[in-house]
Amino acid sequence: MRTLLLGLLLIPPTFSQEGDSGVEVLRQAAGAQFGGNTVQTLKMTATTRSGRTKERTIQLQVRREGESVWVRGELLAPESLKGTRFVMTDGPDAAAEVLLYLPALGSVTPIRGEKRAEGFLGTDFALADLSPPDLDEGAHALVSEDETAWVVESIPAEGGEYTRVRATLHKADRLPHLVEYFAEGDTPKKRLELLEVGESGLPSKLKMTDMGAGSSTVMEVLEQQVDVPEEALPLSLFTREALKND
Amino acid sequence: MSIADRLDALGRFIVRGKLPAALLLLAMTIAASIGVLSRVDEGPPIDFTPQALFNGDDTNERALALREWWGKDDNEVMVLVEGPIFTPEGAALMQSLHAALAADPDVERVDSLVSLGIAARGEDGVSVKPLLREGMDAAALSLAAARAASEPGLVGAAVSPDGGAATLRARLGDDLERVAQLSPAVNRLRDITAAAETPGFSIGATGIPEIRLQIVEQLIRDQLRYLPADAVIFAAVLGLLFRGFVPGLLPLFTVGLAVVWATGLLLGLGVTFNVLSILIPALVLVIGISDGIHLLTRYREELSVDRDREAAMGRTLRHLASACFLTSFTTAVGFGSLAVSHSQALQEFGVQSAAAVMVAFGAVVIGLPTMLAWVPAERVIRARGTEAGKGRLHRGLMALDAAVAARPGRALGASALFTACAVWIASGVGTDSHMMELFPDDHEVVRIYSAVVEHGGGVVPVYAHLEADRPGAFREPEILAKIDALEAVIASREEIRWTASTAGVLRGVHRALTGEDAVPDDEALIEQELFVLELGGDQGRLDALVDPDWRVTRILGLSVDAGGHVFNELAEVIQAEGDALFEGTGVTVIPAGDGIVASAGIHRIIDDLFASVGIAFGIIGVTLLLMLRSARLAALSMVPNVLPLIITLATLGVIGADIQTGNVVSFAVALGLAVDDTIHFLARYREELASGKALPEAVRATFAGAGPALVYTTLLLMAGFSVLAFSSLTPTWHFGVLAVSTLLAALGADLVVLPALLHLLDRRSLSR
């Protein structure tokens, strides 16, 4: 659950000091991404090899209290999915399931999935792709640095989908502008690009390309509110009843 | 200068210039050896795909086209685990085996109880998760066993209904095409399954990659046995026959050269041997030895006249080279006629064998005289056959001639009765093709396959490929309902053990969400239930069933190895039912999958058989007409060559086999070999007639002159081909058994039917 939150909430990092090692660079970037309560509207456009596109617009409301996180999502488009809502929670006492409301059925169903790592909402983003590397596991090295960017290479702990992840972070905005995910060999399996940075300094457009499948997904931040007051995101919003009745 | 004069001159030239001729042989042999070694260095030049053996031309293209959508479905190794799966030991074994297989660098995906997410409704909501997960206790495993038994998405594909067996399907990368590329991956998977052996459980692997590798390994083992075994048999027989080590072994040495030349030529041209064409080196060895014996026998006879090696070799080639060419040519025609077959493997075998036979002819006609030119005349003449043996054979042949000459009608009647019995046996032989027909019943591959079937599973993939004229068509409720209906038709077939479709996946999600066992019939509901899969991250199951645009989909099935006729019937049902269901919807239906593609050619087996035998008969008939310059004699000469074909068919009936793609080759080859004896018999017969003898005396002289050589070469060929009968690959042992029975029938026909026909019907010669 945590990986989902980290990935979807690419809050801009605010570096306090220059990074002088791979771990340090990533730690600062990752540390800066734990923000407060947020409301985001994201448009995800998945494009297949043949050029067919699929769009999903989703509003995510996120509330944080200590280590606990509540996320409520609502599909705004396409029309056939409009009104589909879900709630996920994360934290020490969080439930393992996702509460899902399907308007066509008019009921809320808890969904327990163990395979969410494979892909998120039918796009090229896997949950693992959206999360920064776990700095406590694996190895991270600053492999190159010039006046404008750091290049950090991470070797994840065994058992993951990737054997190597290489991130290029710009010094100007401290954001990862290019992340390449390697499974084997020197050709990346996937490639995440930061296409646009919003006026607020936040990433506003990201593109994930699956090199093997020839498909790609562009994730666009349409709206974003940060540091939303708790009153605007009451815990009652993240309940089964709220899902069904809203 | 006539052809005979040119051949005479060639014989003399070879003996005169034996050193340049020997150097030429050496150079050609070195060049051919380089051709062989350079290919072998790249890995065994042998490959095998079941499709190449069974398929037809258009179906092969269709299968390749559909691979664009679905990848190489047959690049999947299936590991079968037998034992109590839903116990802590069984679950742990499945977990560790799954992890080990998935960790292999050439494995793209592993589907098993450990990975296949199943949507299910429980007290705490809907779960999308695999049945076997880490940390399950006995109670949880017991519940999982009950779930497994009732889960249509799993039973037949991943687990048996009783939980006594489960499979793990490891999909190898599409880039692994040839067996040489597959071999390291398959061997690593074998190591993984061997390392996973657990008391109380049995683990085995099958699947097309495993079968392909096993076949190629067996082909290599067979080659390493056939050629040395044939060489030993021929050396022993030739040594006895000619009672001389050097002259006796020269024909063998010559056909050894022929094997190297033919193999070098084919490999040098980039040929990769298949399960049939791998027999070519052994065929060259066996077939070439016949010409070698005839040449050596004649040379010895000519040499004994004047001890003049140059003149003797000239006369030998003058009299025999044409006959040897004709016999080689007719054999090559027999092989070459397979070029009209619809099977790629048969075509390749036919053309390559024909080329190899003619190379062997050239090697024997040039190579043997060159070698004999170095052997002193006395040494060749001294090497005589066993007089006692020759005497017994001579007496036997003379007795046979006398019996046939005395009552030719009775001889023909007895032959007709014998033929009628053979026809009766042959009438029970049908046509069919099975994937497993390549192996004997006790082979490990067949054992594992049988175990899968016993546990209620299927092995052979079949599917209905559906293409729509618009994206998203297969998310439309009415189209989904039709997919569901067609899946039900396929699932109702006796040979089908498991099916899957987008409709089935949606049915499972809908059942989990609502408890209702139905495919959702509302567009919004369909989208929202698909969203459940997206949310659960369980898109993988859909990826194998539908393209991202939802314009192309398939209904996938796993079948038992039901045979070509059943698969063809299944294809017809899918086509007819599919066309009816999707009429006017913009959806086209194409039956496909290994089972259906591999069986498409079975309709054409009989066509192939008649076409190849007909062409061979036609060409051989014209050749005999030109040779004999007598339509009557040419027509008579074809009659005894029908009997071996009938005997070949009857032999299939005796060994309980069908006419299959793998053995249909035997018929054309049988004709090509059988006619050799006829040519030698008639050539001698005409020679005797030309010397002024009347018909009975000419036939008698032919028995005496050509009879022993026919008997010896037939016995030698039978001995050579009999080695193939010890192969554990069905096409190879069929070929060996059928060749032996055909040769025996051909000899019988040429020593009984042909002289009887001559006595009765060659009236022009008789009157003379």
Side-chain angles (χ1 to χ4, degrees), chain B residues 29 63 292 301 364 379-380 429 678 743:
Chain B
T29 307
E301 284 177 19
V364 171
R379 198 159 180 186
V380 176
V429 178
T678 310
L743 286 163

Side-chain angles (χ1 to χ4, degrees), chain B residues 454-506:
Chain B
E454 274 176 27
H455 287 293
V459 174
V460 184
V462 292
Y463 61 88
H465 172 91
L466 310 178
E467 280 192 50
D469 57 2
R470 58 197 180 277
F474 294 114
R475 300 169 90 116
E476 296 168 9
E478 60 275 19
I479 300 288
L480 267 175
K482 292 178 189 300
I483 291 175
D484 192 48
L486 186 55
E487 182 180 3
V489 169
I490 296 171
S492 69
R493 301 274 305 178
E494 191 179 348
E495 68 274 13
I496 298 293
R497 295 299 180 85
W498 170 86
T499 58
S501 73
T502 49
V505 171
L506 273 166

Side-chain angles (χ1 to χ4, degrees), chain A residues 48 50-54 56 58 75 80-82 84 86 88 97-98 100 102-105 109-122 184, chain B residues 105 115-117 121 124-130 133 471-472 475 510 513-514 522-525 527-529 531-532 534-540 548-549:
Chain A
T48 66
S50 61
R52 166 95 167 150
T53 59
K54 176 175 71 178
R56 295 283 158 81
I58 185 168
L75 272 293
S80 58
L81 290 179
K82 194 171 180 178
T84 301
F86 59 89
M88 300 186 279
E97 80 268 5
V98 176
L100 176 69
L102 297 180
L105 290 178
T109 308
I111 305 289
R112 291 169 174 268
E114 299 201 350
K115 304 188 70 190
R116 290 202 299 268
E118 287 183 4
F120 176 67
L121 303 183
E184 56 185 31
Chain B
S115 63
L116 291 167
R121 187 180 185 82
D124 53 354
V126 173
S127 64
V128 183
K129 57 190 177 187
R133 305 175 303 280
R475 300 169 90 116
H510 189 73
L513 287 169
T514 66
D522 174 81
E523 193 171 342
L525 186 55
E527 295 298 324
Q528 288 165 30
E529 292 191 347
F531 180 72
V532 173
E534 290 182 11
L535 200 68
D538 194 27
Q539 283 284 100
D549 292 346

Side-chain angles (χ1 to χ4, degrees), chain B residues 341-366:
Chain B
S341 161
H342 292 88
S343 158
Q344 180 190 341
L346 285 179
Q347 290 172 7
E348 290 175 358
F349 172 74
V351 173
Q352 292 161 15
S353 300
V357 166
M358 294 318 293
V359 168
F361 163 74
V364 171
V365 167
I366 303 296

Side-chain angles (χ1 to χ4, degrees), chain B residues 79-82 93 97 192-198 201-205 444 447-448:
Chain B
V79 177
L80 173 70
V81 179
E82 291 178 276
L93 174 60
L97 201 47
I192 289 170
T193 54
E197 284 296 341
T198 305
F201 294 86
S202 167
I203 305 174
E444 179 68 2
R447 188 197 71 75
I448 294 169

Side-chain angles (χ1 to χ4, degrees), chain B residues 97-298:
Chain B
L97 201 47
H98 183 101
L101 292 170
D104 188 274
D106 282 324
V107 172
E108 286 189 342
R109 190 185 76 234
V110 181
D111 289 335
S112 77
L113 293 174
V114 176
S115 63
L116 291 167
I118 300 299
R121 187 180 185 82
E123 290 178 359
D124 53 354
V126 173
S127 64
V128 183
K129 57 190 177 187
L131 275 188
L132 289 183
R133 305 175 303 280
E134 287 184 6
M136 293 175 76
D137 58 20
L141 286 167
S142 177
L143 282 175
R147 279 279 316 282
S150 61
E151 178 54 53
L154 295 178
V155 171
V159 65
S160 63
D162 62 357
T167 59
L168 303 97
R169 295 171 187 271
R171 174 76 176 262
L172 300 177
D174 285 358
D175 55 326
L176 303 181
E177 291 267 1
R178 295 184 299 114
V179 165
Q181 295 170 311
L182 281 169
S183 174
V186 174
N187 279 319
R188 282 198 306 276
L189 300 193
R190 286 176 179 173
D191 291 342
I192 289 170
T193 54
E197 284 296 341
T198 305
F201 294 86
S202 167
I203 305 174
T206 183
I208 299 296
E210 178 69 35
I211 289 173
R212 288 178 65 188
L213 184 58
Q214 292 222 20
I215 285 177
V216 169
E217 288 173 345
Q218 186 61 48
L219 290 174
I220 293 171
R221 277 197 297 272
D222 283 353
Q223 283 303 302
L224 296 176
R225 281 191 312 200
Y226 299 153
L227 292 175
D230 273 344
V232 168
I233 289 171
F234 289 170
V237 174
L238 290 169
L240 282 173
L241 199 60
F242 292 101
R243 296 187 69 192
F245 184 73
V246 173
L249 291 189
L250 286 184
L252 182 59
F253 193 63
T254 308
V255 293
L257 287 186
V259 170
V260 175
W261 290 12
T263 311
L265 174 72
L266 294 175
L267 294 185
L269 290 173
V271 164
T272 296
F273 291 127
N274 61 41
V275 69
L276 294 173
S277 60
I278 190 65
L279 295 171
I280 288 175
L283 286 175
V284 168
L285 186 70
V286 174
I287 293 169
I289 201 77
S290 172
D291 283 345
I293 291 171
H294 281 292
L295 273 177
L296 178 58
T297 306
R298 187 71 184 226

